Amino acid sequence: PFSQSITFSDVSFQYEDNPPVIKHLNLRVNRGEVLAVVGPSGSGKTTLANLIPRFYEISQGELRIDDIDIRQVTFASLRRQMALVTQQTILFNDTVRNNIAYGRDDCPAEKIIEAARSAYALDFIQELPQGFETVIGEAGARLSGGQQQRISIARALLKDAPILILDEATSALDTESEREVQKALENLMQNRTTLVIAHRLSTIQNADRIIVLKDGQLVEEGNHDQLLARGGDYRALYNLQFAGDSVGKI
């Protein structure tokens, strides 16, 4: 089980013969830390997150969890340590219960209910025609965007993995839905090592550390106040965001 840190040592990645997307990245994420990753579009944020569960294989360097090269372990044992919540929810034409408990056929009903409660999903689930037994349609089509995302968060809570990856988890939601999902995410992040990609500014401000990627390279790191005071790339992103979006998303 994960117990210490995630370490990138001189990690580079490129898609086939294309130029590198991640370039000589050195980074250590300690257990229990909330690390936010920001940067302009195309800077490599999502690619960085996808390297950890080995959705892509690194081209150079070493990526270790607790000093074990992730290429030396099975996919199953690696991915058991992780839960992902992304902008694009992955839901099935099945019941609410089965969507939350996906891959956990023997999961007790009380644990599913508790996960839904912690994800701020229980109230709307109980209002559905058949409650937890309601079939939600292909890709959750019978639910709103905020409801879909809270079902995904309930699934992640039920998995109870020590490493959490949030990739633009609220960027497609309206302001009211975002507030509900943000509360659920705060519950999910408790006592977990969390990598937050391009998330709402409120989450970034509360992160233990923020790194800024630019053209696949780590160009700045620090907390929110430190990076603003530095007046560099993070400050430029911050100013650009607030110039065009009162919600405050990077």
Side-chain angles (χ1 to χ4, degrees):
F2 172 68
S3 62
Q4 299 172 33
S5 63
I6 305 166
T7 306
F8 295 76
S9 298
D10 194 33
V11 167
S12 296
F13 171 78
Q14 63 191 86
Y15 299 95
E16 298 179 343
D17 296 327
N18 294 311
V21 180
I22 300 292
K23 304 171 185 174
H24 304 290
L25 179 73
N26 291 288
L27 176 68
R28 179 184 171 98
V29 187
N30 294 316
R31 179 185 178 185
E33 184 176 19
V34 176
L35 178 78
V37 184
V38 301
S41 179
S43 61
K45 302 184 297 295
T46 295
T47 300
L48 171 65
N50 285 338
L51 294 177
I52 301 173
R54 287 179 66 191
F55 293 153
Y56 304 126
E57 298 286 9
I58 63 174
S59 305
Q60 175 187 318
E62 200 173 52
L63 206 173
R64 301 188 305 276
I65 294 181
D66 294 347
D67 295 323
I68 300 171
D69 189 317
I70 63 171
R71 292 168 292 191
Q72 305 301 315
V73 300
T74 64
F75 283 119
S77 65
L78 176 67
R79 293 172 182 173
R80 236 185 337 258
Q81 308 301 317
M82 301 172 195
L84 285 76
V85 180
T86 64
Q87 177 181 348
Q88 183 64 47
T89 55
I90 300 173
L91 298 174
F92 305 95
N93 188 21
D94 205 336
T95 64
V96 171
R97 179 186 306 278
N98 288 342
N99 270 281
I100 293 174
Y102 180 69
R104 300 276 302 275
D105 294 337
D106 58 345
C107 191
E110 58 268 20
K111 289 199 170 186
I112 296 172
I113 292 169
E114 184 54 39
R117 180 181 288 109
S118 296
Y120 290 89
L122 187 57
D123 286 349
F124 83 76
I125 291 171
Q126 290 175 331
E127 292 173 359
L128 294 172
Q130 284 83 42
F132 279 89
E133 304 309 318
T134 303
V135 176
I136 62 174
E138 195 67 41
R142 294 173 186 161
L143 303 178
S144 71
Q147 290 171 339
Q148 292 172 10
Q149 199 63 290
R150 280 176 280 167
I151 294 293
S152 294
I153 293 168
R155 180 191 295 159
L157 280 158
L158 189 65
K159 185 176 184 182
D160 197 23
I163 298 171
L164 175 64
I165 298 173
L166 304 178
D167 190 355
E168 300 193 83
T170 63
S171 64
L173 303 177
D174 58 53
T175 302
E176 184 176 351
S177 297
E178 188 269 341
R179 288 195 192 101
E180 290 297 308
V181 171
Q182 188 60 51
K183 290 191 295 184
L185 287 173
E186 287 168 4
N187 281 346
L188 179 59
M189 291 166 65
Q190 287 181 15
N191 303 314
R192 288 181 173 84
T193 304
T194 307
L195 194 72
V196 184
I197 309 296
H199 210 269
R200 297 283 181 176
L201 190 56
S202 59
T203 300
I204 292 171
Q205 285 177 318
N206 294 329
D208 298 312
R209 186 163 43 118
I210 301 166
I211 64 169
V212 182
L213 293 184
K214 186 176 182 181
D215 297 325
Q217 295 180 298
L218 197 162
V219 294
E220 288 184 322
E221 66 178 301
N223 62 37
H224 173 75
D225 292 335
Q226 290 168 341
L227 291 173
L228 278 185
R230 200 168 295 163
D233 288 275
Y234 181 81
R235 182 59 184 255
L237 284 168
Y238 179 88
N239 290 342
L240 181 65
Q241 185 61 57
F242 273 98
D245 185 354
S246 62
V247 173
K249 180 183 69 175
I250 288 181

mmCIF file of all heavy atoms in Angstrom, residues 195-231:
data_model
loop_
_atom_site.group_PDB
_atom_site.id
_atom_site.type_symbol
_atom_site.label_atom_id
_atom_site.label_comp_id
_atom_site.label_asym_id
_atom_site.label_seq_id
_atom_site.Cartn_x
_atom_site.Cartn_y
_atom_site.Cartn_z
ATOM 1 N N LEU A 195 -3.706 15.065 -6.273
ATOM 2 C CA LEU A 195 -3.167 15.828 -7.394
ATOM 3 C C LEU A 195 -4.352 16.504 -8.073
ATOM 4 O O LEU A 195 -5.263 15.827 -8.572
ATOM 5 C CB LEU A 195 -2.457 14.886 -8.366
ATOM 6 C CG LEU A 195 -1.559 15.514 -9.423
ATOM 7 C CD1 LEU A 195 -0.287 16.047 -8.763
ATOM 8 C CD2 LEU A 195 -1.189 14.477 -10.490
ATOM 9 N N VAL A 196 -4.376 17.831 -8.067
ATOM 10 C CA VAL A 196 -5.498 18.601 -8.609
ATOM 11 C C VAL A 196 -5.035 19.270 -9.897
ATOM 12 O O VAL A 196 -4.143 20.111 -9.882
ATOM 13 C CB VAL A 196 -5.975 19.676 -7.613
ATOM 14 C CG1 VAL A 196 -7.200 20.391 -8.151
ATOM 15 C CG2 VAL A 196 -6.273 19.072 -6.249
ATOM 16 N N ILE A 197 -5.661 18.909 -11.008
ATOM 17 C CA ILE A 197 -5.292 19.469 -12.301
ATOM 18 C C ILE A 197 -6.292 20.555 -12.697
ATOM 19 O O ILE A 197 -7.495 20.282 -12.792
ATOM 20 C CB ILE A 197 -5.274 18.381 -13.399
ATOM 21 C CG1 ILE A 197 -4.435 17.175 -12.969
ATOM 22 C CG2 ILE A 197 -4.783 18.962 -14.718
ATOM 23 C CD1 ILE A 197 -2.984 17.458 -12.761
ATOM 24 N N ALA A 198 -5.800 21.781 -12.945
ATOM 25 C CA ALA A 198 -6.603 22.872 -13.499
ATOM 26 C C ALA A 198 -7.940 23.034 -12.807
ATOM 27 O O ALA A 198 -8.982 23.118 -13.447
ATOM 28 C CB ALA A 198 -6.803 22.667 -14.999
ATOM 29 N N HIS A 199 -7.917 23.057 -11.487
ATOM 30 C CA HIS A 199 -9.163 23.094 -10.731
ATOM 31 C C HIS A 199 -9.572 24.522 -10.427
ATOM 32 O O HIS A 199 -8.877 25.483 -10.748
ATOM 33 C CB HIS A 199 -9.004 22.287 -9.435
ATOM 34 C CG HIS A 199 -10.256 21.664 -8.957
ATOM 35 N ND1 HIS A 199 -11.112 22.286 -8.095
ATOM 36 C CD2 HIS A 199 -10.818 20.480 -9.243
ATOM 37 C CE1 HIS A 199 -12.146 21.505 -7.865
ATOM 38 N NE2 HIS A 199 -11.987 20.402 -8.544
ATOM 39 N N ARG A 200 -10.751 24.663 -9.804
ATOM 40 C CA ARG A 200 -11.223 25.995 -9.423
ATOM 41 C C ARG A 200 -10.234 26.665 -8.469
ATOM 42 O O ARG A 200 -9.587 26.013 -7.662
ATOM 43 C CB ARG A 200 -12.585 25.886 -8.750
ATOM 44 C CG ARG A 200 -13.680 25.342 -9.659
ATOM 45 C CD ARG A 200 -14.174 26.383 -10.623
ATOM 46 N NE ARG A 200 -15.241 25.849 -11.469
ATOM 47 C CZ ARG A 200 -15.914 26.568 -12.351
ATOM 48 N NH1 ARG A 200 -15.620 27.830 -12.534
ATOM 49 N NH2 ARG A 200 -16.873 26.021 -13.072
ATOM 50 N N LEU A 201 -10.173 27.970 -8.568
ATOM 51 C CA LEU A 201 -9.188 28.724 -7.812
ATOM 52 C C LEU A 201 -9.328 28.521 -6.312
ATOM 53 O O LEU A 201 -8.337 28.538 -5.588
ATOM 54 C CB LEU A 201 -9.305 30.212 -8.163
ATOM 55 C CG LEU A 201 -8.203 31.120 -7.645
ATOM 56 C CD1 LEU A 201 -6.834 30.652 -8.097
ATOM 57 C CD2 LEU A 201 -8.451 32.552 -8.086
ATOM 58 N N SER A 202 -10.547 28.316 -5.823
ATOM 59 C CA SER A 202 -10.731 28.096 -4.387
ATOM 60 C C SER A 202 -9.953 26.877 -3.914
ATOM 61 O O SER A 202 -9.361 26.883 -2.834
ATOM 62 C CB SER A 202 -12.222 27.937 -4.064
ATOM 63 O OG SER A 202 -12.762 26.846 -4.790
ATOM 64 N N THR A 203 -9.943 25.815 -4.719
ATOM 65 C CA THR A 203 -9.182 24.626 -4.367
ATOM 66 C C THR A 203 -7.695 24.878 -4.492
ATOM 67 O O THR A 203 -6.899 24.438 -3.663
ATOM 68 C CB THR A 203 -9.585 23.443 -5.277
ATOM 69 O OG1 THR A 203 -10.975 23.195 -5.109
ATOM 70 C CG2 THR A 203 -8.803 22.191 -4.933
ATOM 71 N N ILE A 204 -7.298 25.586 -5.507
ATOM 72 C CA ILE A 204 -5.876 25.883 -5.717
ATOM 73 C C ILE A 204 -5.334 26.736 -4.577
ATOM 74 O O ILE A 204 -4.226 26.520 -4.088
ATOM 75 C CB ILE A 204 -5.674 26.574 -7.081
ATOM 76 C CG1 ILE A 204 -5.962 25.589 -8.213
ATOM 77 C CG2 ILE A 204 -4.260 27.113 -7.218
ATOM 78 C CD1 ILE A 204 -5.994 26.221 -9.575
ATOM 79 N N GLN A 205 -6.118 27.696 -4.134
ATOM 80 C CA GLN A 205 -5.665 28.565 -3.045
ATOM 81 C C GLN A 205 -5.402 27.765 -1.768
ATOM 82 O O GLN A 205 -4.513 28.108 -0.999
ATOM 83 C CB GLN A 205 -6.717 29.643 -2.764
ATOM 84 C CG GLN A 205 -6.744 30.743 -3.824
ATOM 85 C CD GLN A 205 -7.846 31.738 -3.557
ATOM 86 O OE1 GLN A 205 -8.965 31.372 -3.199
ATOM 87 N NE2 GLN A 205 -7.551 33.008 -3.733
ATOM 88 N N ASN A 206 -6.157 26.718 -1.551
ATOM 89 C CA ASN A 206 -6.011 25.930 -0.331
ATOM 90 C C ASN A 206 -5.018 24.786 -0.471
ATOM 91 O O ASN A 206 -4.782 24.052 0.492
ATOM 92 C CB ASN A 206 -7.378 25.359 0.082
ATOM 93 C CG ASN A 206 -8.357 26.452 0.485
ATOM 94 O OD1 ASN A 206 -7.951 27.482 0.999
ATOM 95 N ND2 ASN A 206 -9.630 26.228 0.222
ATOM 96 N N ALA A 207 -4.446 24.611 -1.644
ATOM 97 C CA ALA A 207 -3.494 23.520 -1.849
ATOM 98 C C ALA A 207 -2.240 23.742 -1.013
ATOM 99 O O ALA A 207 -1.817 24.876 -0.773
ATOM 100 C CB ALA A 207 -3.121 23.424 -3.327
ATOM 101 N N ASP A 208 -1.621 22.645 -0.578
ATOM 102 C CA ASP A 208 -0.359 22.751 0.152
ATOM 103 C C ASP A 208 0.738 23.334 -0.731
ATOM 104 O O ASP A 208 1.596 24.081 -0.269
ATOM 105 C CB ASP A 208 0.079 21.368 0.648
ATOM 106 C CG ASP A 208 -0.924 20.770 1.619
ATOM 107 O OD1 ASP A 208 -1.335 21.482 2.552
ATOM 108 O OD2 ASP A 208 -1.305 19.605 1.436
ATOM 109 N N ARG A 209 0.675 22.970 -2.021
ATOM 110 C CA ARG A 209 1.703 23.438 -2.961
ATOM 111 C C ARG A 209 1.090 23.512 -4.351
ATOM 112 O O ARG A 209 0.217 22.715 -4.702
ATOM 113 C CB ARG A 209 2.889 22.474 -2.941
ATOM 114 C CG ARG A 209 4.099 22.917 -3.758
ATOM 115 C CD ARG A 209 5.368 22.134 -3.354
ATOM 116 N NE ARG A 209 5.133 20.726 -3.169
ATOM 117 C CZ ARG A 209 5.727 19.769 -3.904
ATOM 118 N NH1 ARG A 209 6.581 20.095 -4.856
ATOM 119 N NH2 ARG A 209 5.484 18.493 -3.662
ATOM 120 N N ILE A 210 1.555 24.470 -5.126
ATOM 121 C CA ILE A 210 1.107 24.640 -6.507
ATOM 122 C C ILE A 210 2.338 24.593 -7.400
ATOM 123 O O ILE A 210 3.356 25.218 -7.089
ATOM 124 C CB ILE A 210 0.396 25.999 -6.699
ATOM 125 C CG1 ILE A 210 -0.813 26.111 -5.773
ATOM 126 C CG2 ILE A 210 -0.018 26.195 -8.158
ATOM 127 C CD1 ILE A 210 -1.370 27.518 -5.652
ATOM 128 N N ILE A 211 2.239 23.822 -8.488
ATOM 129 C CA ILE A 211 3.297 23.884 -9.488
ATOM 130 C C ILE A 211 2.707 24.429 -10.782
ATOM 131 O O ILE A 211 1.532 24.224 -11.086
ATOM 132 C CB ILE A 211 3.970 22.515 -9.731
ATOM 133 C CG1 ILE A 211 2.986 21.503 -10.324
ATOM 134 C CG2 ILE A 211 4.595 21.992 -8.453
ATOM 135 C CD1 ILE A 211 3.661 20.228 -10.821
ATOM 136 N N VAL A 212 3.532 25.145 -11.528
ATOM 137 C CA VAL A 212 3.128 25.734 -12.804
ATOM 138 C C VAL A 212 3.905 25.045 -13.917
ATOM 139 O O VAL A 212 5.138 25.015 -13.891
ATOM 140 C CB VAL A 212 3.386 27.253 -12.835
ATOM 141 C CG1 VAL A 212 2.895 27.847 -14.160
ATOM 142 C CG2 VAL A 212 2.707 27.950 -11.667
ATOM 143 N N LEU A 213 3.181 24.475 -14.867
ATOM 144 C CA LEU A 213 3.804 23.878 -16.044
ATOM 145 C C LEU A 213 3.700 24.839 -17.219
ATOM 146 O O LEU A 213 2.686 25.509 -17.396
ATOM 147 C CB LEU A 213 3.124 22.559 -16.417
ATOM 148 C CG LEU A 213 3.263 21.371 -15.466
ATOM 149 C CD1 LEU A 213 2.603 20.149 -16.081
ATOM 150 C CD2 LEU A 213 4.720 21.079 -15.131
ATOM 151 N N LYS A 214 4.744 24.863 -18.008
ATOM 152 C CA LYS A 214 4.754 25.670 -19.229
ATOM 153 C C LYS A 214 5.584 24.920 -20.264
ATOM 154 O O LYS A 214 6.754 24.614 -20.003
ATOM 155 C CB LYS A 214 5.356 27.054 -18.952
ATOM 156 C CG LYS A 214 5.275 28.013 -20.126
ATOM 157 C CD LYS A 214 5.805 29.383 -19.702
ATOM 158 C CE LYS A 214 5.689 30.390 -20.823
ATOM 159 N NZ LYS A 214 6.227 31.722 -20.402
ATOM 160 N N ASP A 215 4.958 24.581 -21.384
ATOM 161 C CA ASP A 215 5.641 23.815 -22.432
ATOM 162 C C ASP A 215 6.266 22.534 -21.880
ATOM 163 O O ASP A 215 7.378 22.160 -22.246
ATOM 164 C CB ASP A 215 6.721 24.673 -23.110
ATOM 165 C CG ASP A 215 6.129 25.873 -23.827
ATOM 166 O OD1 ASP A 215 5.019 25.743 -24.381
ATOM 167 O OD2 ASP A 215 6.778 26.944 -23.831
ATOM 168 N N GLY A 216 5.549 21.884 -20.957
ATOM 169 C CA GLY A 216 6.009 20.609 -20.433
ATOM 170 C C GLY A 216 7.079 20.683 -19.373
ATOM 171 O O GLY A 216 7.589 19.644 -18.933
ATOM 172 N N GLN A 217 7.401 21.882 -18.913
ATOM 173 C CA GLN A 217 8.445 22.047 -17.899
ATOM 174 C C GLN A 217 7.876 22.699 -16.647
ATOM 175 O O GLN A 217 6.972 23.530 -16.716
ATOM 176 C CB GLN A 217 9.595 22.894 -18.442
ATOM 177 C CG GLN A 217 10.347 22.231 -19.591
ATOM 178 C CD GLN A 217 11.479 23.103 -20.107
ATOM 179 O OE1 GLN A 217 11.244 24.209 -20.592
ATOM 180 N NE2 GLN A 217 12.700 22.612 -20.012
ATOM 181 N N LEU A 218 8.425 22.324 -15.507
ATOM 182 C CA LEU A 218 8.033 22.936 -14.245
ATOM 183 C C LEU A 218 8.769 24.275 -14.123
ATOM 184 O O LEU A 218 9.988 24.303 -14.018
ATOM 185 C CB LEU A 218 8.388 22.004 -13.078
ATOM 186 C CG LEU A 218 7.722 22.259 -11.726
ATOM 187 C CD1 LEU A 218 7.839 21.027 -10.837
ATOM 188 C CD2 LEU A 218 8.320 23.462 -11.018
ATOM 189 N N VAL A 219 8.012 25.370 -14.150
ATOM 190 C CA VAL A 219 8.646 26.688 -14.154
ATOM 191 C C VAL A 219 8.498 27.438 -12.831
ATOM 192 O O VAL A 219 9.274 28.358 -12.554
ATOM 193 C CB VAL A 219 8.108 27.559 -15.314
ATOM 194 C CG1 VAL A 219 8.511 26.955 -16.655
ATOM 195 C CG2 VAL A 219 6.587 27.733 -15.244
ATOM 196 N N GLU A 220 7.499 27.065 -12.019
ATOM 197 C CA GLU A 220 7.313 27.720 -10.713
ATOM 198 C C GLU A 220 6.687 26.739 -9.742
ATOM 199 O O GLU A 220 5.919 25.859 -10.147
ATOM 200 C CB GLU A 220 6.378 28.938 -10.828
ATOM 201 C CG GLU A 220 6.964 30.142 -11.520
ATOM 202 C CD GLU A 220 6.003 31.334 -11.493
ATOM 203 O OE1 GLU A 220 4.779 31.116 -11.630
ATOM 204 O OE2 GLU A 220 6.477 32.449 -11.332
ATOM 205 N N GLU A 221 6.984 26.916 -8.453
ATOM 206 C CA GLU A 221 6.256 26.181 -7.423
ATOM 207 C C GLU A 221 6.270 26.963 -6.122
ATOM 208 O O GLU A 221 7.175 27.751 -5.845
ATOM 209 C CB GLU A 221 6.814 24.774 -7.229
ATOM 210 C CG GLU A 221 8.213 24.669 -6.671
ATOM 211 C CD GLU A 221 8.591 23.189 -6.488
ATOM 212 O OE1 GLU A 221 7.899 22.478 -5.742
ATOM 213 O OE2 GLU A 221 9.597 22.778 -7.081
ATOM 214 N N GLY A 222 5.228 26.754 -5.329
ATOM 215 C CA GLY A 222 5.069 27.445 -4.055
ATOM 216 C C GLY A 222 3.596 27.410 -3.689
ATOM 217 O O GLY A 222 2.795 26.760 -4.352
ATOM 218 N N ASN A 223 3.217 28.127 -2.639
ATOM 219 C CA ASN A 223 1.791 28.217 -2.339
ATOM 220 C C ASN A 223 1.189 29.423 -3.073
ATOM 221 O O ASN A 223 1.903 30.179 -3.743
ATOM 222 C CB ASN A 223 1.518 28.275 -0.826
ATOM 223 C CG ASN A 223 2.129 29.500 -0.160
ATOM 224 O OD1 ASN A 223 2.159 30.594 -0.735
ATOM 225 N ND2 ASN A 223 2.602 29.337 1.065
ATOM 226 N N HIS A 224 -0.115 29.599 -2.950
ATOM 227 C CA HIS A 224 -0.820 30.636 -3.699
ATOM 228 C C HIS A 224 -0.239 32.030 -3.448
ATOM 229 O O HIS A 224 0.072 32.766 -4.395
ATOM 230 C CB HIS A 224 -2.303 30.599 -3.321
ATOM 231 C CG HIS A 224 -3.124 31.708 -3.881
ATOM 232 N ND1 HIS A 224 -3.506 31.754 -5.210
ATOM 233 C CD2 HIS A 224 -3.636 32.827 -3.297
ATOM 234 C CE1 HIS A 224 -4.221 32.853 -5.415
ATOM 235 N NE2 HIS A 224 -4.321 33.504 -4.280
ATOM 236 N N ASP A 225 -0.071 32.383 -2.188
ATOM 237 C CA ASP A 225 0.425 33.717 -1.859
ATOM 238 C C ASP A 225 1.854 33.929 -2.350
ATOM 239 O O ASP A 225 2.197 35.006 -2.860
ATOM 240 C CB ASP A 225 0.351 33.954 -0.344
ATOM 241 C CG ASP A 225 -1.083 34.037 0.158
ATOM 242 O OD1 ASP A 225 -1.975 34.387 -0.651
ATOM 243 O OD2 ASP A 225 -1.319 33.747 1.340
ATOM 244 N N GLN A 226 2.692 32.927 -2.193
ATOM 245 C CA GLN A 226 4.078 33.037 -2.651
ATOM 246 C C GLN A 226 4.155 33.263 -4.152
ATOM 247 O O GLN A 226 4.920 34.101 -4.632
ATOM 248 C CB GLN A 226 4.853 31.775 -2.269
ATOM 249 C CG GLN A 226 5.121 31.612 -0.778
ATOM 250 C CD GLN A 226 5.634 30.215 -0.433
ATOM 251 O OE1 GLN A 226 5.473 29.265 -1.208
ATOM 252 N NE2 GLN A 226 6.246 30.088 0.733
ATOM 253 N N LEU A 227 3.347 32.510 -4.888
ATOM 254 C CA LEU A 227 3.400 32.612 -6.346
ATOM 255 C C LEU A 227 2.817 33.937 -6.839
ATOM 256 O O LEU A 227 3.324 34.520 -7.804
ATOM 257 C CB LEU A 227 2.671 31.430 -6.982
ATOM 258 C CG LEU A 227 3.349 30.071 -6.801
ATOM 259 C CD1 LEU A 227 2.459 28.955 -7.332
ATOM 260 C CD2 LEU A 227 4.697 30.043 -7.503
ATOM 261 N N LEU A 228 1.778 34.418 -6.188
ATOM 262 C CA LEU A 228 1.240 35.727 -6.563
ATOM 263 C C LEU A 228 2.285 36.816 -6.332
ATOM 264 O O LEU A 228 2.489 37.701 -7.173
ATOM 265 C CB LEU A 228 -0.018 36.042 -5.750
ATOM 266 C CG LEU A 228 -1.340 35.449 -6.224
ATOM 267 C CD1 LEU A 228 -2.474 35.973 -5.353
ATOM 268 C CD2 LEU A 228 -1.612 35.765 -7.685
ATOM 269 N N ALA A 229 2.949 36.753 -5.186
ATOM 270 C CA ALA A 229 3.954 37.771 -4.844
ATOM 271 C C ALA A 229 5.143 37.743 -5.800
ATOM 272 O O ALA A 229 5.786 38.769 -6.042
ATOM 273 C CB ALA A 229 4.431 37.565 -3.406
ATOM 274 N N ARG A 230 5.416 36.562 -6.370
ATOM 275 C CA ARG A 230 6.562 36.431 -7.268
ATOM 276 C C ARG A 230 6.337 37.147 -8.591
ATOM 277 O O ARG A 230 7.292 37.536 -9.270
ATOM 278 C CB ARG A 230 6.832 34.940 -7.493
ATOM 279 C CG ARG A 230 8.220 34.618 -7.995
ATOM 280 C CD ARG A 230 8.464 33.116 -7.906
ATOM 281 N NE ARG A 230 8.456 32.668 -6.517
ATOM 282 C CZ ARG A 230 8.323 31.414 -6.130
ATOM 283 N NH1 ARG A 230 8.159 30.456 -7.045
ATOM 284 N NH2 ARG A 230 8.335 31.092 -4.858
ATOM 285 N N GLY A 231 5.082 37.292 -8.974
ATOM 286 C CA GLY A 231 4.780 38.054 -10.183
ATOM 287 C C GLY A 231 5.173 37.374 -11.479
ATOM 288 O O GLY A 231 5.399 38.054 -12.485
#
